[in-house]
Amino acid sequence: MPGKLYLCATPIGNLEDITYRVLKTLREVDLIAAEDTRHSIKLLNHFDIKTPMTSYHEYNKVEKAVYLVDKLREGVNIALITDAGTPGISDPGEELVRQCAAAGIEVTSLPGPAACITALSMSGLPTRRFCFEAFLPSERADKKERQRILDELKRETRTIILYEAPHHLVGTLTDLREALGNRPVSLCRELTKRYESVMRASLEEAIATLSEEEPKGEWVIVLEGRHPEEIRKEEIRTWEAMSLEEHMEYYISQGQDRKEAMRSVARDRGISRRDVYRQLL
């Protein structure tokens, strides 16, 4: 029988957040794949867990996943842990899960802490709909990709969650302010740890405060999405600048047939499809 992959969520700060089920699994599996064995050994030693470990990280995630899948095929049960939080979320574990799924290996997730959800729940911003962007691409490494994502976020109506390191925090907040405007933001620092804090402010206020005080610790940015009514008003201004024929051509160029395009134009302009037809004639 093939083995099973267990995705074991580990604490993001406070060790008391680990679950009994995760501890039991870490003791019972044959092998633990850890993002940083030097970091994870402290966790295992704290709970007196003696299970063998192997490294699985961003720089060996593809070839090491092949090795681990082979082990799973042989019947080895493996637990995957990350440095903090839930494996596979903004994490190289995504690749191992993908390869397991392709190989027909059973995967199960043992729920626990995730910094993005922890920050969202205490942000004071809408939680029903949200998107998670993790870390934006580095401006030095991929400036165009960073700008592309910022451009996409301009129209995002859901609450936006990002991660950022302290030395890049003010720069990222400044980029968000320039791209998205001055929006409410909740900045969560050192979640579940001794110096946990939440700053609720506007982007401009946060930038001013953090420019004077050097940020420390790991940060989660929770940013209010754009109000749908703002997008609607912007669209109306765009349609008003177009002739009816140009408006029709826009939707036809998006792949709609003429009947669908007339329906879309009528909806945008707040008139009936019959009125669109008559005006086109």
Side-chain angles (χ1 to χ4, degrees):
M1 293 289 292
K4 189 173 181 178
L5 178 66
Y6 297 84
L7 306 177
C8 294
T10 54
I12 58 176
N14 193 320
L15 292 181
E16 293 181 5
D17 289 335
I18 200 164
T19 68
Y20 288 119
R21 186 181 174 206
V22 167
L23 290 176
K24 182 174 182 290
T25 299
L26 292 177
R27 290 190 176 102
E28 292 180 349
V29 293
D30 303 301
L31 181 66
I32 296 173
E35 186 174 8
D36 185 341
T37 55
R38 296 166 300 178
H39 176 87
S40 295
I41 194 63
K42 299 174 186 177
L43 175 72
L44 300 189
N45 286 342
H46 181 83
F47 291 106
D48 195 29
I49 296 170
K50 306 299 184 182
T51 307
M53 274 197 300
T54 186
S55 64
Y56 180 78
H57 48 73
E58 181 65 29
Y59 301 103
N60 72 353
K61 64 182 181 182
V62 177
E63 60 272 21
K64 192 60 174 284
V66 173
Y67 167 81
L68 293 173
V69 168
D70 286 341
K71 285 292 184 184
L72 287 158
R73 284 196 179 103
E74 294 170 5
V76 175
N77 290 312
I78 299 175
L80 177 67
I81 59 176
T82 183
D83 285 350
T86 301
I89 305 299
S90 185
D91 173 82
E94 176 186 10
E95 173 64 24
L96 178 56
V97 173
R98 186 190 67 77
Q99 290 197 29
C100 284
I105 300 294
E106 185 178 359
V107 178
T108 189
S109 181
L110 282 59
C116 54
I117 299 300
T118 303
L120 175 66
S121 67
M122 61 195 292
S123 67
L125 294 173
T127 61
R128 189 179 72 83
R129 299 175 66 246
F130 61 91
C131 68
F132 175 54
E133 281 292 337
F135 288 91
L136 289 175
S138 165
E139 187 168 11
R140 180 182 298 177
D142 200 337
K143 186 174 182 179
K144 288 184 178 179
E145 178 65 8
R146 182 183 178 92
Q147 188 58 52
R148 184 188 68 78
I149 293 174
L150 288 170
D151 289 341
E152 286 183 358
L153 293 177
K154 289 179 182 179
R155 294 175 61 82
E156 180 57 69
T157 59
R158 296 170 294 178
T159 300
I160 302 164
I161 307 172
L162 306 102
Y163 291 158
E164 193 49 276
H167 52 290
H168 292 311
L169 182 62
V170 172
T172 293
L173 293 176
T174 301
D175 287 348
L176 289 168
R177 168 66 183 89
E178 291 176 357
L180 280 64
N182 188 31
R183 302 194 190 172
V185 65
S186 178
L187 299 174
C188 302
R189 181 178 74 98
E190 295 291 272
L191 290 169
T192 78
K193 300 177 185 178
R194 181 179 180 182
Y195 296 106
E196 174 183 283
S197 65
V198 182
M199 178 192 299
R200 299 181 181 90
S202 68
L203 278 171
E204 288 181 354
E205 291 167 342
I207 292 167
T209 299
L210 293 169
S211 295
E212 297 176 0
E213 305 172 9
E214 182 182 356
K216 296 180 180 179
E218 298 301 317
W219 295 75
V220 183
I221 303 169
V222 186
L223 186 65
E224 185 176 81
R226 191 174 183 190
H227 292 293
E229 187 58 31
E230 289 182 8
I231 296 177
R232 177 63 180 162
K233 289 178 180 178
E234 185 178 274
E235 288 175 343
I236 289 173
R237 288 195 295 271
T238 301
W239 307 143
E240 287 176 346
M242 287 183 177
S243 68
L244 200 65
E245 290 78 7
E246 290 171 335
H247 202 163
M248 280 287 294
E249 183 56 37
Y250 168 78
Y251 281 114
I252 290 171
S253 69
Q254 300 299 307
Q256 295 187 11
D257 60 31
R258 191 168 179 80
K259 189 175 182 180
E260 290 174 323
M262 289 176 65
R263 188 180 297 114
S264 298
V265 169
R267 182 196 63 235
D268 290 342
R269 294 177 176 250
I271 58 179
S272 70
R273 195 174 65 181
R274 181 176 295 181
D275 289 335
V276 174
Y277 179 74
R278 287 173 176 170
Q279 291 183 46
L280 288 172
L281 287 178

